[in-house]
Amino acid sequence: MSPSLVTRTTGATRGARALLGCALAVCLGATATVGTGAASSAASASPTASAFPVATTAPGDRTALDAVGGVLATVTAHTKRTGVAAKTRSYVVNVGTGAAISAGRARIAAAAAAGAGGDVVQSWPHIGVLVVRSPRADFVARLRPSATTRITSVGPTRSVPVEQPLRPRASGGASALAATTHPAAIVADRREREQWGLRAVGGPTSVGAGAGVTVAVLDSGIQPNHPDLIGRIDPARSLDCTDGGRPDPSPARWRNTTSGHGTHVAGIIAAARNGIGVAGVAPGARVASIKVVDDDGFIYPEYAICGILRTADSGLRIANHSYYIDPWRFWCGSNPTQAPAREAVRRAFAYAQARGVLSVAAAGNDSTDLAHKRTDTLSPNDSRPVSRRLDRSCLDLPAELPGVLTVAAADPDGSMAAYSNYGRGVVDVLAPGTEILSTYPDSQWAPLSGTSMAAPHAAGVAAILAGTRPKARPHELLALLRRQARNVPCPRGDRKCTGTVSNNAYAGEGMVDARRAR
């Protein structure tokens, strides 16, 4: 059970939190008036197709992937029989400096991983990263960095063995979803009066706000036939990344299964103005469901890497990340066990930014000053947590990566919520996060709270900006969002809130503003 989805829950049991796809450290309190429970009713179809296909990535990378195809085809007997052997663990192998590696180099690195007792699950040659599984306890020691392979680091992606086997692949891809036709005039949605967050960011906006922009929702999947989301989902660019970090475009996989989190986030961004339920910040935009949360609620590095790389390769310009990457609340570059996965994630997000993607991330719900982190007692969250001291190399991923827009959460009175993380120089903007009404599985609507809800408000405003400025680069959109935000001063007498009226630890540059997005 993972605390990585940044939604708050109160009084929830471990099982109930698992249904929400979130837990303990980050899931500190949510209200969900959704009938009998929080679990989604969307059925998950069983895929039926050949196993272990060679991965598909960006144009131009086919040769490098073909080069490792022979290695992928020689999966060891234990994986062929069951998909997972006892004590099989997942690793990232970093090759080179993060730039694209050649076909020959990919072949050498994959062969070295196989020789050390590993099975290559997924290759990302355009950033020099392999995802490998191995049952050998000495796999890292056997695959040491070397000038011959140009392998620079090897490390685990989780603190426990892999429990789920790799899935067979289903045939077919995107399903046909009905297109949305906008009404001639704005139609007030039935529950719009309950959307204090929409009003706080300057909504409701015009019916077509964000038209032509698709926002990647890296989350737990989306209910595709929700009445407020029909036609708002781009099935051709939706996929699931939770099968060992392998992209799977099957609709049965990228829809929600055990969590309503992604459906809720999608509605905040792009729920249609159709007179039915609620309205999104950018109701003219579409969303792509990029599923990075597995059915146990975890977001491991290989899932996030797959999600953001495929977002970039699909040509999407905005990506919402309402999570932190498991199992470490903060990934430390000074720790040799955590540094390799931290570097692989950094490479993936840097690649996406270079390809034109602005990532918007939730700051987290630990009431922590991210600019002055000292200790962590909640990680790893997939096994027994340990108490550890943090240094400057320890980052909340992806919220503290360069070029990511980091969003803190606000209460209805406009002040930063007590649960929200903060930090001068880390938090960029503030957005509504408490008691946010949005779409929820079983074609319902529910209020949830957390920085998970704040980030999609900012992503919706970013989508509006991207629609009006089709040539703007990610750093330009980020600068505009910061500059157009409304100042939110520090509470009087609050010494933790350092900075000025225009830029402080709690609100960054201020509350995001859709009315100024142009």
Side-chain angles (χ1 to χ4, degrees), residues 1-10 12-14 17-18 21-30 297-298 323-330 363-368 375-383 385-386 388 396 418-421 449-452:
M1 182 180 62
S2 166
S4 48
L5 288 174
V6 281
T7 308
R8 303 175 64 234
T9 57
T10 54
T13 64
R14 182 181 179 95
R17 288 195 183 107
C22 57
L24 197 60
V26 179
C27 299
L28 303 176
F298 288 98
Y323 63 87
Y324 71 81
I325 294 174
D326 297 311
W328 298 99
R329 186 65 187 88
F330 303 102
N365 301 339
D366 300 320
S367 304
T368 295
T375 59
D376 173 23
T377 61
L378 301 174
S379 303
N381 59 38
D382 59 354
S383 58
V386 297
R388 59 190 182 124
D396 179 338
Y419 58 80
S420 180
N421 287 351
S449 297
T451 55
S452 274

Side-chain angles (χ1 to χ4, degrees), residues 399-475:
E400 291 190 88
L401 288 172
V404 172
L405 183 83
T406 305
V407 188
D411 283 334
D413 65 2
S415 64
M416 189 196 74
Y419 58 80
S420 180
N421 287 351
Y422 58 97
R424 191 175 185 189
V426 179
V427 167
D428 292 294
V429 291
L430 186 69
T434 302
E435 292 293 306
I436 302 300
L437 182 68
S438 185
T439 48
Y440 210 76
D442 296 333
S443 299
Q444 299 186 64
W445 293 263
L448 298 180
S449 297
T451 55
S452 274
M453 286 61 252
H457 280 89
V461 177
I464 297 173
L465 276 172
T468 59
R469 295 171 177 261
K471 295 184 179 180
R473 299 294 297 168
H475 71 277

Side-chain angles (χ1 to χ4, degrees), residues 288-300:
S289 177
I290 310 295
K291 191 172 182 180
V292 297
V293 184
D294 67 24
D295 285 349
D296 292 322
F298 288 98
I299 303 102
Y300 286 116

Side-chain angles (χ1 to χ4, degrees), residues 200-203 430 461 481 484-486 511-517:
V201 300
L430 186 69
V461 177
L481 282 159
Q484 294 172 357
R486 302 191 310 274
M511 179 71 72
V512 292
D513 194 339
R515 289 170 296 193
R516 300 181 183 181

Side-chain angles (χ1 to χ4, degrees), residues 143-471:
L143 193 63
R144 293 182 181 277
S146 78
T148 301
T149 61
R150 288 194 64 206
I151 290 173
T152 54
S153 61
V154 183
T157 65
R158 54 190 83 184
S159 70
V160 293
V162 177
E163 295 182 357
Q164 298 299 324
L166 294 168
R167 298 188 298 260
R169 291 306 177 87
S171 58
S175 61
L177 298 179
T180 294
T181 56
H182 298 301
I186 292 178
V187 178
D189 288 286
R190 294 176 185 175
R191 303 190 67 176
E192 201 170 286
R193 292 183 179 180
E194 301 174 58
Q195 292 186 268
W196 78 266
L198 184 64
R199 295 190 297 275
V201 300
T205 54
S206 67
V207 173
V213 177
T214 298
V215 179
V217 177
L218 282 78
D219 215 289
S220 63
I222 301 172
Q223 180 190 342
N225 61 346
H226 192 288
D228 255 344
L229 296 174
I230 291 176
R232 307 266 42 87
I233 300 173
D234 184 344
R237 294 192 279 191
S238 295
L239 68 146
D240 169 53
C241 283
T242 65
D243 185 25
R246 302 188 304 167
D248 183 349
S250 307
R253 298 308 316 172
W254 58 252
R255 67 182 60 191
N256 62 297
T257 48
T258 60
S259 169
H261 194 272
T263 301
H264 196 273
V265 167
I268 294 171
I269 296 169
R273 298 215 70 206
N274 53 13
I276 295 177
V278 298
V281 175
R286 303 182 81 194
V287 294
S289 177
I290 310 295
K291 191 172 182 180
V292 297
V293 184
D294 67 24
D295 285 349
D296 292 322
F298 288 98
I299 303 102
Y300 286 116
E302 59 266 40
Y303 305 167
I305 292 167
C306 165
I308 192 61
L309 290 179
R310 291 307 296 265
T311 293
D313 292 342
S314 296
L316 303 180
R317 298 179 62 201
I318 309 295
N320 187 85
H321 309 269
S322 289
Y323 63 87
Y324 71 81
I325 294 174
D326 297 311
W328 298 99
R329 186 65 187 88
F330 303 102
W331 291 79
C332 300
S334 58
N335 185 306
T337 300
Q338 298 163 33
R342 177 185 181 277
E343 166 62 11
V345 170
R346 184 204 65 78
R347 292 182 180 192
F349 275 78
Y351 173 87
Q353 186 178 358
R355 290 292 293 265
V357 180
L358 171 63
S359 285
V360 180
N365 301 339
D366 300 320
S367 304
T368 295
D369 183 351
L370 296 177
H372 300 91
K373 300 183 290 290
R374 292 182 174 84
T375 59
D376 173 23
T377 61
L378 301 174
S379 303
N381 59 38
D382 59 354
S383 58
R384 184 182 296 275
V386 297
S387 179
R388 59 190 182 124
R389 297 185 67 84
L390 303 175
D391 58 40
R392 291 184 179 274
S393 75
C394 301
L395 300 181
D396 179 338
L397 300 180
E400 291 190 88
L401 288 172
V404 172
L405 183 83
T406 305
V407 188
D411 283 334
D413 65 2
S415 64
M416 189 196 74
Y419 58 80
S420 180
N421 287 351
Y422 58 97
R424 191 175 185 189
V426 179
V427 167
D428 292 294
V429 291
L430 186 69
T434 302
E435 292 293 306
I436 302 300
L437 182 68
S438 185
T439 48
Y440 210 76
D442 296 333
S443 299
Q444 299 186 64
W445 293 263
L448 298 180
S449 297
T451 55
S452 274
M453 286 61 252
H457 280 89
V461 177
I464 297 173
L465 276 172
T468 59
R469 295 171 177 261
K471 295 184 179 180

